[in-house]
Amino acid sequence: MQHHSGASAATDNPAVGSLRHVASFPEALGTGIVMHTESALDTQVLSDIGTMIEAYEQVLSRFRDDSLVQQMSKAEHGGSFDFPDYLNPLFEIVDLLFAATQGSIDPLVGADLVKLGYGPDQSFHPRPDVRESLGWVHGRARWDEAVTRHGTTLITRQAVQCDFGAVGKGFLVDLLSERCAEHSKHLLIDAGGDLNIRAATPVSIALEDPSDDEDAVGVAEILNGSLCASAPSRRRWTAELEGQGTGKQPDEQHLGHETGLVTLHHLLNAIDGMPVEDVMATWVTSPNPSGTTPLDVHDFGNFPTAVADGLSTALFVCDPDTLSLSFPFECAVIRNDRTALVSRHFPGSLFIR
């Protein structure tokens, strides 16, 4: 099974083979969701899951014109927006990621993505003034200043373009895993490479080479927890900034250089709004609840996929040691020079040095 963000579980893996019942939701979250379960999910459960996915997207999707997030982007003078109560842990994780990265991870980076061409219309054509308007250093609203949160009520004073994608996909996977738990003891849920696994024996996960999606650079084994990956290789586009053409090749250009044709991607540093250039790929594992969470970190054990999802993005802008002060996790990182970092207890290895 190939997964868009850099992880795959071999179909001949015995642990996956024992999860012989498969249900898929190909349109969910833009990447699709595939659920492998030990026991078949009945029609009512599958219907409930479809309803959950629809309701979730209608609240959080920045690509749907009818979503609550889109209403926030159109409220010129701001307003009070009531999100479902079950999203409170998602907002808590977002708050903690914002604080741990000193603002480098910020939901309001959605405005920068739109300016770069990755908006609801997916034009992939940057706006002419993009260089001077990206990031909060150039005046874009900040999460801690433009949004006041009271539980799941968000209060704004201006239009804000939120993107909860760093955490949102993983959070939905956790919700679906909880919904299925009473019907199937063992399962594997895959949302475009965000994996939640509860298996009888460890599942081997191939770690996709960010430079070649037909190859692997490592393998991990997960028995009971989550693995999420991030890489810019799947959401990448080239565009020419007006008045800056040079004729150089796209892979030679970056947005910060005074050149024309540039290569862009969706993993931004929210401070300056720029695509991150020095990291190629990240993988994060997060444990399920165990009762052994260190006292100096927050316990989001009921949402391991949301945590792993958020951290796989945060590792593009923040070092693992800093993030470990706030979250329990293990990770592997490949930098742009093909050097690698693997944490001590990461449940796998990379084939590169």
Side-chain angles (χ1 to χ4, degrees):
M1 297 177 293
Q2 289 298 318
H3 307 307
H4 289 300
S5 38
S8 62
T11 53
D12 60 352
N13 189 310
V16 176
S18 67
L19 305 174
R20 59 191 182 89
H21 299 280
V22 181
S24 63
F25 300 84
E27 304 301 320
L29 303 181
T31 62
I33 296 175
V34 181
M35 308 175 68
H36 301 258
T37 55
E38 180 181 41
S39 304
L41 302 177
D42 63 36
T43 303
Q44 185 59 55
V45 174
L46 293 174
S47 177
D48 290 347
I49 289 172
T51 299
M52 287 176 62
I53 294 171
E54 169 67 17
Y56 192 81
E57 291 188 315
Q58 194 162 8
V59 172
L60 289 181
S61 175
R62 70 183 184 90
F63 296 101
R64 287 181 54 151
D65 193 58
D66 62 345
S67 73
L68 190 54
V69 161
Q70 278 289 19
Q71 290 180 34
M72 295 177 72
S73 74
K74 299 171 183 176
E76 182 180 354
H77 302 292
S80 180
F81 302 90
D82 295 323
F83 286 78
D85 290 343
Y86 70 81
L87 290 178
N88 192 63
L90 180 147
F91 292 138
E92 290 180 348
I93 295 171
V94 165
D95 285 346
L96 193 54
L97 282 171
F98 180 90
T101 63
Q102 298 184 329
S104 293
I105 296 295
D106 185 335
L108 302 193
V109 77
D112 295 331
L113 290 168
V114 170
K115 291 173 184 176
L116 289 171
Y118 191 35
D121 61 355
Q122 299 193 51
S123 70
F124 299 106
H125 182 73
R127 295 181 181 177
D129 64 346
V130 68
R131 292 180 187 273
E132 293 78 29
S133 62
L134 290 175
W136 59 258
V137 294
H138 289 125
R140 194 211 65 230
R142 284 174 46 133
W143 177 252
D144 61 338
E145 295 176 351
V147 179
T148 301
R149 184 171 75 89
H150 298 289
T152 55
T153 297
L154 303 185
I155 300 172
T156 63
R157 293 174 292 279
Q158 64 189 85
V160 294
Q161 293 173 311
C162 295
D163 179 3
F164 294 105
V167 176
K169 186 168 61 170
F171 192 84
L172 178 58
V173 168
D174 290 326
L175 294 177
L176 298 179
S177 178
E178 182 181 10
R179 178 67 180 85
C180 294
E182 61 188 86
H183 302 280
S184 184
K185 180 179 180 181
H186 298 131
L187 57 77
L188 184 155
I189 299 178
D190 168 19
D194 284 6
L195 307 177
N196 180 264
I197 298 169
R198 294 199 307 270
T201 58
V203 178
S204 295
I205 310 296
L207 308 181
E208 182 182 291
D209 188 330
S211 299
D212 181 1
D213 61 12
E214 296 297 320
D215 200 4
V217 291
V219 64
E221 291 197 340
I222 307 296
L223 176 66
N224 187 25
S226 297
L227 170 67
C228 294
S230 287
S233 52
R234 297 277 186 170
R235 298 178 194 167
R236 208 171 182 87
W237 64 100
T238 59
E240 185 166 351
L241 302 188
E242 293 185 11
Q244 296 290 334
T246 65
K248 294 184 179 180
Q249 295 301 310
D251 60 0
E252 297 176 353
Q253 314 305 316
H254 299 287
L255 189 59
H257 301 163
E258 292 302 320
T259 56
L261 198 60
V262 296
T263 299
L264 307 172
H265 60 77
H266 71 292
L267 293 163
L268 311 182
N269 186 322
I271 294 176
D272 61 13
M274 304 285 279
V276 179
E277 298 181 1
D278 56 353
V279 177
M280 291 184 71
T282 66
W283 296 269
V284 174
T285 62
S286 184
N288 283 329
S290 65
T292 60
T293 302
L295 296 178
D296 59 343
V297 297
H298 296 256
D299 183 8
F300 293 109
N302 290 327
F303 301 95
T305 323
V307 169
D309 193 12
L311 291 172
S312 68
T313 299
L315 284 169
F316 276 77
V317 296
C318 191
D319 68 88
D321 289 341
T322 298
L323 293 170
S324 69
L325 299 176
S326 300
F327 298 95
F329 69 99
E330 300 294 334
C331 69
V333 177
I334 298 179
R335 305 180 186 90
N336 263 7
D337 61 3
R338 300 288 289 188
T339 60
L341 178 157
V342 181
S343 65
R344 179 175 299 179
H345 300 294
F346 183 76
S349 59
L350 296 179
F351 306 144
I352 62 175
R353 292 291 184 268

